[in-house]
Amino acid sequence: MMPAYTASPPDLQTQIIAAAALLDAGGVVAFPTETVYGLGADISCPDAVDRIFRIKGRPASHPLIVHIASLHDLPCWSQEIPDAAWQLATRFWPGPLTLILQRSQLIPLNVTGGQETVGLRVPDHPVALSLLQYSTDGHKRALAAPSANRFGHISPTTADHVREELGEAVDMILDGGNCAIGLESTIVSVHNKTVTLLRPGAISVAALEAVLGKPVALSAKAGTAIRVSGSLAAHYAPDTPLEILSATSLQQRTEALVSQGLRVAVMVQTPSLLTAIRTAADSCIAMPETAAAYGNRLYATLRQLDRQGVDHILTESPPTGADWLAIADRLQRASHRTARNSTKSTIDTLPAL
Ligand code: TXA
Ligand code: MG
């Protein structure tokens, strides 16, 4: 399936203008951000917003993040803005931080899933910012844009990912290359005076706390402790079953699955394991050692392994440091379906965002 038009450099500027016109006419346009690709509709077009839910197969009660052009527009899109929100927005926007705030009357309820709060962010990508800064009739634009994937599936980090997954359902896909971060934004609620982490991302809790000068709470659902599985939320998931294992059990588990006649792909981080796993597995991917590089590769790697059609993906559990929180969260969700059926897993998860 192909969309009506896919824009890529060098005609990107022309296509941004065409995309802006499409958005003004009630179209749905996929565009790059620094985190993942978004599936965008102008919030003033209710039919286009409805189409986002239909294209994704997303429940209408599940709120969409609204992308805005500038920090200075915050009072336009939200109200009762606490100091903490200004501090965080001033420091991190444009950037991978979504703030949950009290919505203004300009944010329709179909965007927020009927809630009085709205998730707002200024993306740090020139294509996204151009789209937000330009409208054919000069109106101040806000774009509702969830990740441009089917509900529950892996977020896209290239235009090709969007094309493969959503194809003709989208009016246009703007190609801005690989997303620099590759994981969805950090989501923080600054509503009701407390600052609470709802989804970990590239901006760490420590970075938030350094700006605020006070601790950030983890939402009750967002406990970071590793607990026994049972009520895990599946999200960000490949089609192939994924299992997280310690470095010490990776080789044995690979060999056990291969001996059952299964085709196994393994994502390895510990360099000393590579040779043995390469021998045992059908496919062995060396994953980067830094959190930033790992986050950038994670979704593309899971998509590549899905395409290869292996029966099972094994991954080494990531390091436990604060930098790895977002990666650990996404891997836990991605492994949810497998973990439910496995007595081996002791991994629990953050809430399904
Ligand atoms: O990096 C990102 O955040 C990407 C790019 C495209 O900006 N967007 C993204 O959107 O990940 P989405 O819709 O796939 O995930 C956003 C999550 C939703 O699942 C929703 O649960 C949460 O943000 N959210 C949005 N509005 C909210 C609200 N008012 N209260 C609580 N959570 C909210
Ligand atoms: Mg998403």
Side-chain angles (χ1 to χ4, degrees):
M1 294 221 297
M2 288 292 289
Y5 190 83
T6 301
S8 58
D11 61 346
L12 198 51
Q13 278 310 322
T14 317
Q15 294 313 315
I16 289 169
I17 293 169
L22 265 173
L23 289 166
D24 290 339
V28 172
V29 172
F31 63 92
T33 81
E34 81 282 29
T35 58
V36 300
Y37 274 71
L39 183 61
D42 194 295
I43 63 164
S44 64
C45 302
D47 290 348
V49 172
D50 286 351
R51 246 180 92 202
I52 287 183
F53 286 98
R54 283 204 304 277
I55 291 170
K56 279 186 67 87
R58 179 170 177 147
S61 58
H62 207 97
L64 305 177
I65 289 179
V66 174
H67 297 68
I68 60 175
S70 164
L71 153 80
H72 305 294
D73 295 339
L74 252 186
C76 178
W77 308 114
S78 58
Q79 52 186 330
E80 296 169 34
I81 304 163
D83 289 347
W86 283 114
Q87 289 170 329
L88 293 174
T90 304
R91 169 65 185 81
F92 294 115
W93 282 358
L97 178 71
T98 297
L99 298 175
I100 308 294
L101 289 160
Q102 188 76 17
R103 78 179 174 104
S104 78
Q105 292 308 306
L106 290 178
I107 304 280
L109 286 169
N110 64 335
V111 169
T112 68
Q115 301 187 57
E116 288 304 322
T117 55
V118 60
L120 295 173
R121 122 175 162 86
V122 179
D124 187 13
H125 193 291
V127 172
L129 287 171
S130 300
L131 268 188
L132 288 164
Q133 285 156 5
Y134 176 72
S135 62
T136 49
D137 59 2
H139 78 279
K140 195 184 277 293
R141 191 192 296 290
L143 287 174
S147 51
N149 53 277
R150 284 180 284 112
F151 186 58
H153 197 230
I154 306 164
S155 296
T157 56
T158 69
D160 277 345
H161 294 163
V162 182
R163 203 172 296 127
E164 285 157 18
E165 183 146 349
L166 302 180
E168 282 172 353
V170 184
D171 297 320
M172 183 186 275
I173 300 170
L174 288 168
D175 188 345
N178 288 329
C179 299
I181 293 174
L183 295 177
E184 306 81 358
S185 60
T186 302
I187 303 183
V188 163
S189 164
V190 272
H191 180 53
N192 290 340
K193 296 207 163 79
T194 47
V195 179
T196 308
L197 178 76
L198 298 183
R199 179 173 73 182
I203 295 176
S204 67
V205 173
L208 298 168
E209 290 178 342
V211 169
L212 296 169
K214 63 174 188 180
V216 169
L218 301 179
S219 91
K221 289 187 288 180
T224 52
I226 300 215
R227 302 190 298 262
V228 176
S229 67
S231 59
L232 310 189
H235 221 72
Y236 312 114
D239 296 327
T240 315
L242 175 107
E243 211 176 315
I244 307 171
L245 292 149
S246 65
T248 49
S249 32
L250 205 55
Q251 184 179 348
Q252 196 187 19
R253 182 73 175 142
T254 305
E255 288 167 354
L257 290 169
V258 169
S259 73
Q260 291 168 32
L262 295 172
R263 295 187 60 221
V264 181
V266 188
M267 292 155 62
V268 180
Q269 248 196 317
T270 306
S272 60
L273 288 175
L274 279 168
T275 308
I277 300 287
R278 272 201 187 109
T279 310
D282 294 90
S283 180
C284 172
I285 312 252
M287 293 302 285
E289 289 182 45
T290 67
Y294 192 112
N296 181 268
R297 289 303 308 149
L298 176 60
Y299 288 155
T301 303
L302 293 175
R303 281 179 186 270
Q304 174 193 333
L305 296 177
D306 262 350
R307 270 199 309 274
Q308 280 180 20
V310 293
D311 300 307
H312 218 88
I313 304 170
L314 302 182
T315 188
E316 201 179 325
S317 52
T320 50
D323 286 358
W324 292 86
L325 186 61
I327 290 161
D329 167 56
R330 303 311 192 271
L331 283 175
Q332 287 163 9
R333 289 174 198 287
S335 67
H336 170 61
R337 280 189 299 247
T338 319
R340 277 181 71 160
N341 299 322
S342 165
T343 51
K344 286 182 177 301
S345 175
T346 55
I347 293 172
D348 205 349
T349 188
L350 295 157
L353 290 175

